[in-house]
Structures are given as C-alpha cells and as structure tokens.
Amino acid sequence: MKIGIVIPTHNGAKHLPHCLPNLILSPLKPRVLVIDSSSSDQTVAIAQDLGAETTVILQREFNHGLTRERGRQHLQTDIVVMITQDAYPTSIHMLEELVAPIMKGVASISYARQLPHVGAGFFETFPRDFNYPSTGHLRSLKDIDHYGIYTFFCSNSCAAYLNSALDEVGGFPETLFGEDTVVTAKLLHRHHKIAYVAKAEVRHSHHYSLKQEFSRHFDIGLARHGYQELIAIGGKDTKRGRAYLKTLIKKLAQHNPHWIPYALLQTTAKLLGYKVGRACVNAPLWLKRLLSSQHYYWK
C-alpha cells in the first residue's frame, strides 16, 4: 500500500529538521507533502532540502480540515498520514508501527502515542500521560460504554487514515477545529475501527499561557457545537474533564502541592473558554475573531 504524509507548516524552520528525517528515511518510502502557509522563515527551503514535496498557500487560506483535505487529494495514496510540524517521530520505524493496523485491515484510523518534548514541564507532560497510555488498543462504537466520549478521540498531530474510508465520509470538512474528531466519529458510525498505537511514538507538547488556553478551548467549544450530534452518544465532555481534573490534582497533591492553585486556574481558563465558545455560535464576527486563537480563520 502506498503511503502519503501531509504536514501543514507555518514558520516551522526550527521544527522540520526534527520532524522530517525519520519520516523520509522510513523503510516504507512515503511521499511527504509540506503545505506551507506563507512562512516568513526558511521552512519551504528546508523541507525541499530534506526531500519533501512542497506547496505554498496564503495564511488566510489555511483551514484545519480543508488544507489537510487538499493534501490528501493531491497525494492520492492508499493511506494518508497527518502530522504537525512540531511532532517529532522518535525513530524511522514510527511510521511502520502507526500504519500497521490499517495495513492489516483491523482498523481504518490509527493514531500515535504523544510523548512530551525533552525538557517539558509538568503541565505539558501531564496531558500526554493522561491521553496517551503506554498500552495500545482498538476501539469501535461498541466500546462506547467503556470509553465514553474518548471513543472519538484522535489527534492529527500524528494520525493515519485509510484513504478509501475517508472517501466514504467526504474527507476532511471545513472546520475551525477538530477535523480529526469529525471524521473519526463519522467513520465509527459507519462501523469502522480506530487503533491507538502506543508503539508509534512522537514527541509533541506545548506550553500555553492562560490566555492561549482560553482561546484554544474557545475554538474547541465553538467548533464542537457544529458536530455535537456526531459524538453525543459518548456522553458529556464534562465527565472526562472531571476525571482529568481529579487525576491532575491527585498527582499534584502527591508530588507538587504548591502547583495546585495554578492547576485550578488553568482548568478554569479552559472551561470558561469552552463554555464561552459554545455560547458564541451566533455572536458577531468581531467577537469571535477577538476570542479565537485563529484570527485568520474569520475572514
């Protein structure tokens, strides 16, 4: 099966030397396409020097779903992998591990385990530990009672898809956020399966300020309003949110109790952003642009 990789980039010169080599050197010999949103640094030149195909779009044309769909349509490979510029594969065999469930025919989607970047602090590390356990598994809609809303979890920071399955659901849609969740939900409702591949590892984490957390979760809340019916069977997001907070506080109480006030403040910023986003579906454009993390989206 032919493998294609789509990497959206913007000012990713510092990331590509860590992201691209282990993909390009994979024994699977994938086609690697970098779609750059008019970077002001040497992103495109570095991508070309490392062996990737490149195309450039205007930043205002970037869309989480449509840009990836553009890459998928360009490559037309049997399997398409989505990865972000700041996700660093830990070995040349990461890609083989990631696509194995799809190549074996046991899943139509698979996603990698995300480890924190070297030197990441507690608040970057904990979400990776919570969402990406050390043991892989296979999920379908039949597992909804066990996994709840997590059934639909997938991250295009590093995920692979059977291209023919994406064709079934019309590919990646235009969306402010969560294109991976949308197609995962659509495919699970069509009786496809998703694999979490713990052996496929990438290093990927972020250090967000409280303002950035608010804006990011504003986007999530606003976007989820549009596809809530697809994931409603999984129950409320708040259930998993409570489990996250409970585990976070328990771990801090054991090792770093002085960080608990900041953890509560960070959680409040996330929750407030999410709830404001859900409430702003019909808000004026200027307000959405003001609160969103993606000012270029609100053309």
Side-chain angles (χ1 to χ4, degrees):
M1 299 179 80
K2 294 181 179 180
I3 314 296
I5 302 175
V6 178
I7 310 177
T9 62
H10 181 69
N11 291 341
K14 68 178 182 180
H15 294 298
L16 292 188
H18 305 284
C19 172
L20 282 177
N22 280 340
L23 297 173
I24 291 174
L25 293 174
S26 167
L28 296 179
K29 301 186 183 304
R31 286 180 65 189
V32 180
L33 174 65
V34 166
I35 304 180
D36 186 69
S37 300
S38 300
S39 292
S40 58
D41 62 9
Q42 296 299 308
T43 296
V44 174
I46 291 171
Q48 292 172 344
D49 288 345
L50 290 171
E53 302 174 40
T54 61
T55 186
V56 179
I57 62 174
L58 297 174
Q59 187 182 22
R60 67 173 181 268
E61 294 177 357
F62 175 79
N63 177 270
H64 278 286
L66 293 185
T67 300
R68 289 177 168 88
E69 180 64 12
R70 176 175 177 169
R72 180 180 86 90
Q73 294 293 345
H74 175 85
L75 291 172
Q76 289 292 313
T77 49
D78 301 298
I79 295 173
V80 63
V81 175
M82 301 295 162
I83 188 168
T84 53
Q85 64 185 23
D86 57 347
Y88 305 166
T90 58
S91 81
I92 62 171
H93 300 293
M94 187 284 294
L95 188 62
E96 293 173 272
E97 296 284 0
L98 178 66
V99 302
I102 300 177
M103 297 187 80
K104 292 175 182 176
V106 299
S108 298
I109 319 163
S110 60
Y111 66 101
R113 184 184 186 190
Q114 295 185 28
L115 304 173
H117 283 302
V118 175
F122 174 84
F123 289 99
E124 297 94 77
T125 300
F126 178 79
R128 299 298 177 258
D129 293 340
F130 185 80
N131 288 316
Y132 301 95
S134 59
T135 303
H137 60 261
L138 197 64
R139 302 195 303 267
S140 73
L141 212 58
K142 294 179 181 178
D143 301 304
I144 200 77
D145 289 340
H146 177 69
Y147 289 108
I149 198 70
Y150 183 74
T151 306
F152 304 108
F153 181 79
C154 182
S155 173
N156 269 350
S157 290
C158 189
Y161 300 84
L162 183 65
N163 212 16
S164 60
L166 287 176
D167 286 337
E168 284 184 35
V169 296
F172 293 102
E174 179 179 3
T175 179
L176 172 65
F177 209 91
E179 77 292 339
D180 37 21
T181 302
V182 173
V183 295
T184 296
K186 287 181 178 179
L187 288 171
L188 291 182
H189 280 292
R190 284 176 170 257
H191 309 295
H192 290 268
K193 294 182 179 180
I194 180 171
Y196 166 55
V197 188
K199 291 182 178 180
E201 296 180 342
V202 296
R203 292 203 172 273
H204 178 248
S205 57
H206 295 282
H207 177 69
Y208 290 126
S209 67
L210 294 178
K211 182 179 182 300
Q212 288 172 322
E213 292 284 16
F214 175 90
S215 295
R216 176 179 168 82
H217 283 77
F218 172 86
D219 289 344
I220 294 172
L222 184 55
R224 283 218 167 179
H225 185 276
Y227 60 83
Q228 185 61 43
E229 289 186 1
L230 282 172
I231 62 175
I233 190 175
K236 294 183 177 180
D237 292 322
T238 50
K239 183 177 180 180
R240 183 163 177 83
R242 286 194 296 270
Y244 177 93
L245 180 60
K246 182 179 179 180
T247 308
L248 172 64
I249 298 302
K250 182 178 179 180
K251 192 164 187 176
L252 284 175
Q254 293 173 340
H255 304 288
N256 302 100
H258 57 286
W259 286 347
I260 290 178
Y262 181 81
L264 295 174
L265 192 61
Q266 184 190 63
T267 302
T268 300
K270 292 178 180 180
L271 181 61
L272 184 61
Y274 182 81
K275 287 186 173 295
V276 171
R278 291 295 296 263
C280 279
V281 175
N282 298 314
L285 194 63
W286 66 266
L287 182 59
K288 294 177 181 177
R289 184 185 296 114
L290 177 66
L291 299 178
S292 174
S293 66
Q294 302 176 56
H295 62 87
Y296 51 83
Y297 177 84
W298 304 101
K299 296 183 284 292

